[in-house]
Amino acid sequence: MQVPEELERVMVGVEAYLSIRRQTLDTGLSFFEEDGEVEKTLNEKDFLEDLWGRIQMLATGGWKVDSVPRPHLLFEAQLVAGKSHEFGAIKCPEQPNPPPTLSGVTYGKQKYDAELNYPQRIRRLNIFPSSKFEDVQPIDRFVVEEYLLDVLLFFNGCRKECASFMVGLPVPFRYEYLMAETIFSQLLLLPQPPFKPIYYTLVIIDLCKALPGAFPAVVAGAVRALFEKIADLDMECRIRLILWFSHHLSNFQFIWPWEEWAYVLELPKWAPQRVFVKEVLDREVRLSYWDKVKQSIENAPGLEELLPPKGGPSFKFSAEDDGEKSEQHALSAELYNMVKGRAPARELISWLDESVIPKHGLDVSLVVVVQTLLDIGSKSFTHLITVLERYGQVISRICHDQDKQVLLISEVGSYWKNNTQMTAIAIDRMMGYRLISNLSIVKWIFSPENLQQYHTSDRPWEILRNVLCKTYNRISDLRKEISSLKKDVVAAEEAVARTQEELGAAESKLSLVDGEPVLGENPVRLKRLKSYAGRAKEQEISIRDSLEAKEALLARALEENEILFLSLYKSFSSILTERLPASAQTLQDLKSTNPADTNAMDVEEPSAMEMDNVESRPEKSHLNGRTEHAYTVCENEQWCLTTLGYVKAFSRQYASEIWPHIEKLDAEVLLSEDSHPLFRKAVYSGLRRSLDLI
């Protein structure tokens, strides 16, 4: 080491900073709900403190690290005699200007903006027990994690090369468990992973193929460990895990020892483990077909109960029904024949206005039209798009207000009650064609028919995620278009200035015409330059008009966005206030409320995240006739836990759109007397906002 004094100065500076650094607990980005363990977590070392401790141990041990290659030793003599180079100065980002008035809101906004600008630190998901890392020194774990993260970064988009380099790291010990933990930590990272989840899915698949004798068993162990603690896993992480696992199994012939999880059938329908298995099977059916997935669970045939219904659409006016045919059946048949005869939309509208609505009313007409058009478009996604494009005006004619749009969505849900995927697709397409508004979908999500599914199915949540995502993408696209147009305006202004300058120079130039001095260049060139200048000015005006139009659309979209989030959080607050116990101040209080009847359910023993052997198969151990897999949280409490989890997830995912409206949300929803403390805590946790500054 050539400059030990300089290194020592850096070490002293880092230690001085850590001595005054205050540890903060950011529960909004935790993989698991930390409620009840905050004090314990604050007393433990965080990532930075742990890393610094390992570096100090490394310094006292002569800086010897097995995981770091030392090729420089072969050239030590040349390096000692070589020329030294100085590092350039490190420039930190400028500190933001202090707000005019310091408050909890302004502090929260500045904190959120700062977190967007600074790189996100590693969040480690500890899946396996420490016994799996006995051969790995503590500092080696940090080094190998950085190796793996660098490979994931630099080979993003080249999954095979990524997997190849990940299995060939220059370290003298095995690191399959560490590799799995690192990948899952990135896949489940909050608020979002560095890359699209599909990237990590493909890398895991390629790693399983590259290390067939080792890595598949490690991945299976990770799945089992996460499954054991699925009830405490963040809702966003839970959905990502479901999507990843179903996709992963689809690449390996849906092979999984389902008999291990057959005990979930004994759990109540709202138990998170049972819901997890149910949702994984549903996603598998989407990626394959019902009979194939049923065949994959033949070792646990009872799980067929959790498969989605095999039936297709549920058409109210089917001609194959044996029951008595009503007038609505006749209307549906007439409409069907008109559509098959390629009647234009205006003809259908005239038929409705003159013959159907006056006699049967608007609601009956809506049900007949929606059910029939959905049935015509039920053969494929393309058929649905064609029907909506051709007869969207008909639907708009009878769904002119929010109540009718809610009825329309309800009919879509009724028609596709056996197919969650098609329900979500149909509603998404209707929103895309502006046949229904996002407010109407939100209102339908909070209708009684959906409330009872919140804790047992992802169906309403998937539709709500799609609505919020589509609304956000519209605003994001408008912002990108406006940013691009602003650059175009600057370029157009420069082009106008340049052409005007050339025209002015040409007009002021003296030239000879028929031997006489004349002010101005050749008339032909002058005419051409004037044409260029005129076109450049027209182009500038056109771009400015487009910019004004897009800015107007963005302003309207932001107003609608504010109304959407106000409506969403008012609805959440209302339904949660009705169901949350007034005495519950923490999630642990909620879980302890009205414990389940021990005669019907077994007392759950604490599940450990650690697994001593990933190859082991969990077996039921009996105690007085009871099994260790029972779930003791009551249905209402689980409904509240699930809903609060989604409130937190949505708040975190769309924090950038919520913060501009936080004052209004505080005044009308969050700080109102009717707002339950647990609801407020869930929102603030998602926004990463401190309750102490309110």
Side-chain angles (χ1 to χ4, degrees):
M1 186 179 298
Q2 301 299 310
V3 284
E5 299 84 4
E6 292 296 316
L7 180 60
E8 181 63 24
R9 186 171 63 84
V10 172
M11 298 279 286
V12 170
V14 173
E15 188 165 10
Y17 164 72
L18 286 174
S19 67
I20 62 173
R21 173 178 175 264
R22 185 180 65 175
Q23 182 180 347
T24 58
L25 180 63
D26 196 345
T27 57
L29 299 182
S30 299
F31 295 108
F32 298 98
E33 292 292 349
E34 301 287 350
D35 196 18
E37 301 183 7
V38 173
E39 185 176 346
K40 174 185 174 184
T41 306
L42 286 172
N43 291 331
E44 296 175 351
K45 288 183 178 180
D46 64 7
F47 179 87
L48 190 58
E49 292 169 340
D50 188 22
L51 175 59
W52 178 242
R54 306 305 177 189
I55 292 174
Q56 288 179 311
M57 291 174 58
L58 191 62
T60 58
W63 300 100
K64 294 180 180 179
V65 188
D66 293 338
S67 56
V68 177
R70 310 181 77 181
H72 63 282
L73 295 178
L74 298 175
F75 310 96
E76 193 166 12
Q78 295 92 320
L79 291 172
V80 170
K83 182 181 177 181
S84 299
H85 298 273
E86 292 186 0
F87 286 115
I90 299 176
K91 186 176 181 182
C92 295
E94 296 291 336
Q95 291 287 336
N97 296 324
T101 57
L102 186 60
S103 66
V105 171
T106 55
Y107 172 81
K109 286 181 178 179
Q110 277 208 341
K111 179 175 178 289
Y112 180 76
D113 292 339
E115 287 164 347
L116 292 179
N117 294 326
Y118 284 86
Q120 189 175 1
R121 73 169 179 83
I122 298 173
R123 289 186 177 272
R124 184 179 292 162
L125 176 60
N126 296 313
I127 300 176
F128 302 107
S130 57
S131 60
K132 298 300 180 183
F133 306 98
E134 290 178 350
D135 297 334
V136 183
Q137 295 300 316
I139 192 63
D140 287 324
R141 174 172 186 138
F142 287 94
V143 174
V144 174
E145 279 180 345
E146 289 299 323
Y147 284 162
L148 295 169
L149 292 174
D150 283 347
V151 172
L152 286 168
L153 171 64
F154 291 110
F155 290 95
N156 171 36
C158 307
R159 87 229 202 161
K160 291 189 178 297
E161 290 83 352
C162 177
S164 175
F165 277 95
M166 290 184 82
V167 300
L169 296 183
V171 295
F173 48 81
R174 297 186 64 175
Y175 54 92
E176 291 90 351
Y177 292 98
L178 180 53
M179 185 158 57
E181 276 197 358
T182 303
I183 296 174
F184 277 105
S185 296
Q186 294 290 288
L187 173 64
L188 303 180
L189 188 66
L190 298 171
Q192 62 268 330
F195 307 106
K196 292 182 178 180
I198 185 65
Y199 174 49
Y200 303 101
T201 304
L202 296 175
V203 169
I204 292 173
I205 291 170
D206 287 330
L207 287 173
C208 288
K209 294 177 180 177
L211 300 171
F215 202 66
V218 175
V219 172
V223 172
R224 293 188 182 102
L226 290 169
F227 181 73
E228 286 300 311
K229 212 176 180 186
I230 199 73
D232 296 323
L233 191 63
D234 181 89
M235 293 306 303
E236 171 67 21
C237 296
R238 202 180 301 182
I239 294 300
R240 285 191 215 164
L241 188 63
I242 289 170
L243 296 177
W244 164 78
F245 189 47
S246 56
H247 190 179
H248 181 80
L249 292 181
S250 72
N251 283 271
F252 293 96
Q253 302 179 7
F254 299 100
I255 296 174
W256 179 257
W258 290 106
E259 63 274 11
E260 293 180 11
W261 292 349
Y263 68 84
V264 300
L265 293 170
E266 303 171 11
L267 302 179
K269 64 179 181 179
W270 59 85
Q273 288 187 335
R274 177 177 175 132
V275 174
F276 177 85
V277 173
K278 176 175 175 287
E279 292 301 326
V280 168
L281 293 175
D282 179 77
R283 296 287 175 168
E284 286 187 352
V285 171
R286 298 190 192 188
L287 295 169
S288 181
Y289 53 95
W290 195 90
D291 291 321
K292 173 67 175 177
V293 176
K294 181 191 174 186
Q295 183 182 359
S296 72
I297 60 173
E298 58 185 6
N299 291 335
L303 289 179
E304 184 180 340
E305 177 186 336
L306 301 183
L307 284 173
K310 188 179 181 180
S314 180
F315 185 35
K316 290 182 178 180
F317 312 114
S318 174
E320 299 176 0
D321 290 345
D322 297 331
E324 182 180 352
K325 301 295 187 294
S326 64
E327 291 186 29
Q328 297 173 20
H329 283 77
L331 290 173
S332 176
E334 186 176 353
L335 176 60
Y336 184 90
N337 291 331
M338 293 174 70
V339 172
K340 286 300 181 181
R342 296 186 176 273
R346 61 177 180 275
E347 184 176 330
L348 267 64
I349 293 174
S350 299
W351 173 71
L352 287 170
D353 289 340
E354 297 171 4
S355 307
V356 182
I357 296 177
K359 182 178 179 181
H360 300 279
L362 193 56
D363 287 356
V364 172
S365 303
L366 187 151
V367 171
V368 170
V369 169
V370 172
Q371 286 274 333
T372 306
L373 291 181
L374 286 174
D375 193 59
I376 295 171
S378 64
K379 291 183 179 179
S380 68
F381 179 71
T382 306
H383 282 76
L384 174 64
I385 297 301
T386 302
V387 168
L388 293 179
E389 286 180 349
R390 188 173 296 169
Y391 297 107
Q393 296 177 9
V394 180
I395 298 176
S396 297
R397 167 67 183 83
I398 55 179
C399 298
H400 48 75
D401 59 28
Q402 190 177 98
D403 290 338
K404 292 297 180 286
Q405 290 180 11
V406 171
L407 179 58
L408 163 62
I409 302 168
S410 180
E411 288 303 315
V412 173
S414 172
Y415 182 84
W416 287 114
K417 65 182 181 181
N418 295 327
N419 193 319
T420 300
Q421 184 180 25
M422 283 306 300
T423 303
I425 288 175
I427 292 174
D428 180 78
R429 288 296 84 205
M430 287 181 175
M431 182 180 171
Y433 288 121
R434 304 298 178 97
L435 302 178
I436 51 179
S437 68
N438 48 19
L439 287 173
S440 301
I441 301 174
V442 168
K443 185 175 180 180
W444 176 75
I445 291 291
F446 289 94
S447 62
E449 63 184 284
N450 289 309
L451 289 180
Q452 61 186 0
Q453 302 181 53
Y454 277 17
H455 57 316
T456 60
S457 172
D458 189 50
R459 182 186 179 101
W461 301 117
E462 179 182 0
I463 295 169
L464 184 55
R465 286 196 301 270
N466 291 344
V467 171
L468 296 178
C469 181
K470 204 172 192 69
T471 302
Y472 173 79
N473 287 341
R474 282 179 183 173
I475 293 175
S476 181
D477 290 344
L478 283 171
R479 285 173 176 154
K480 290 177 183 177
E481 291 173 7
I482 288 172
S483 177
S484 177
L485 284 171
K486 286 181 177 178
K487 294 178 182 178
D488 292 343
V489 166
V490 173
E493 288 175 345
E494 293 174 353
V496 169
R498 187 170 57 252
T499 55
Q500 290 291 348
E501 183 180 350
E502 292 177 357
L503 179 60
E507 289 177 337
S508 61
K509 186 177 180 181
L510 286 173
S511 60
L512 293 176
V513 178
D514 297 331
E516 297 292 332
V518 178
L519 189 65
E521 275 196 4
N522 188 320
V524 175
R525 186 169 185 272
L526 275 176
K527 184 178 180 181
R528 185 170 65 251
L529 289 175
K530 288 179 180 179
S531 175
Y532 289 163
R535 284 202 296 269
K537 190 63 179 176
E538 290 174 1
Q539 181 73 6
E540 180 192 3
I541 294 172
S542 175
I543 295 173
R544 287 187 180 278
D545 290 343
S546 298
L547 178 60
E548 290 178 5
K550 293 295 182 182
E551 287 177 336
L553 286 174
L554 177 61
R556 189 174 69 181
L558 290 175
E559 290 177 4
E560 294 175 352
N561 204 39
E562 180 182 3
I563 296 171
L564 172 66
F565 279 110
L566 279 172
S567 172
L568 179 65
Y569 281 101
K570 283 180 180 178
S571 300
F572 272 131
S573 180
S574 175
I575 61 172
L576 282 166
T577 302
E578 291 177 4
R579 291 165 175 79
L580 281 169
S583 59
Q585 299 297 310
T586 66
L587 295 183
Q588 193 59 43
D589 292 342
L590 185 59
K591 293 176 183 178
S592 304
T593 304
N594 296 328
D597 181 7
T598 54
N599 293 324
M601 295 184 187
D602 309 317
V603 178
E604 183 184 21
E605 297 179 4
S607 60
M609 190 66 179
E610 301 181 352
M611 294 184 63
D612 292 334
N613 185 358
V614 295
E615 297 284 1
S616 64
R617 299 293 186 263
E619 297 180 358
K620 297 178 184 178
S621 62
H622 294 267
L623 180 63
N624 297 329
R626 300 174 184 175
T627 67
E628 64 177 10
H629 296 299
Y631 190 67
T632 58
V633 177
C634 296
E635 182 170 11
N636 180 68
E637 283 65 42
Q638 183 59 49
W639 186 97
C640 293
L641 288 169
T642 302
T643 306
L644 287 170
Y646 277 108
V647 168
K648 178 180 174 180
F650 290 135
S651 301
R652 179 176 52 226
Q653 187 173 1
Y654 298 102
S656 61
E657 301 303 315
I658 296 172
W659 270 111
H661 313 301
I662 196 65
E663 289 94 343
K664 198 164 186 178
L665 272 173
D666 277 346
E668 298 188 19
V669 184
L670 300 177
L671 298 182
S672 68
E673 295 181 357
D674 297 333
S675 178
H676 195 282
L678 281 179
F679 167 67
R680 189 182 307 120
K681 182 179 179 181
V683 177
Y684 287 175
S685 179
L687 296 176
R688 302 167 73 182
R689 181 183 182 187
S690 175
L691 285 167
D692 299 333
L693 297 174
I694 305 306

